[in-house]
């Protein structure tokens, strides 16, 4: 029960959801997320975030091109909505510790 998943020194860009962890315990440190579509993290359980930076939109994201021959995909259609979350929390048995997060 005292086992943690450790994630560190990760850069994520142009993702619908930057990172997901469904385990009971996790520690995220030195994480940079750029241009996420929906949310930067989807985590569950006892989770800590240290030295994390989330930049919802950059100039790189503004230059996205269509990737589908049929036109815009659902993700591409939602890109300009600027409807995003830092992370998703659930309502039971959750513990989230956040230290030095910049959004």
């Amino acid at each position: 029960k005292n086992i943690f998943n450790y994630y560190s020194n990760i850069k994520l860009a142009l993702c619908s959801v930057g990172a997901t962890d469904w385990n009971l315990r996790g520690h995220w440190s030195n994480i940079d997320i750029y241009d996420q579509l929906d949310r930067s993290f989807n985590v569950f359980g006892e989770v800590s975030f240290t030295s994390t930076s989330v930049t919802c939109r950059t100039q790189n994201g503004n230059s996205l091109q269509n990737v589908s021959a049929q036109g815009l995909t659902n993700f591409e259609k939602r890109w300009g909505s600027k409807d995003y979350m830092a992370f998703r929390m659930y309502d039971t048995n959750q513990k989230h510790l956040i230290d030095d997060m910049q959004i």
Side-chain angles (χ1 to χ4, degrees), residues 29-68:
S29 64
N30 302 317
I31 311 296
D32 295 321
I33 298 177
Y34 304 94
D35 298 314
Q36 92 270 2
L37 177 63
D38 185 34
R39 61 190 163 273
S40 56
F41 291 98
N42 193 26
V43 295
F44 183 81
E46 296 178 18
V47 182
S48 63
F49 301 96
T50 305
S51 300
T52 301
S53 172
V54 177
T55 304
C56 299
R57 294 292 185 266
T58 68
Q59 290 301 105
N60 292 332
N62 292 335
S63 63
L64 282 176
Q65 301 294 318
N66 290 354
V67 296
S68 172

Side-chain angles (χ1 to χ4, degrees), residues 3-7 17-28 38-39 41-47 49 87-94 96:
I3 297 172
F4 278 77
N5 288 335
Y6 288 90
Y7 307 93
V17 177
T20 300
D21 183 16
W22 287 96
N23 294 294
L24 294 179
R25 292 177 181 86
H27 177 71
W28 299 80
D38 185 34
R39 61 190 163 273
F41 291 98
N42 193 26
V43 295
F44 183 81
E46 296 178 18
V47 182
F49 301 96
F87 60 90
R88 176 180 284 175
M89 295 186 300
Y90 293 87
D91 58 352
T92 57
N93 300 319
Q94 303 302 298
H96 294 81

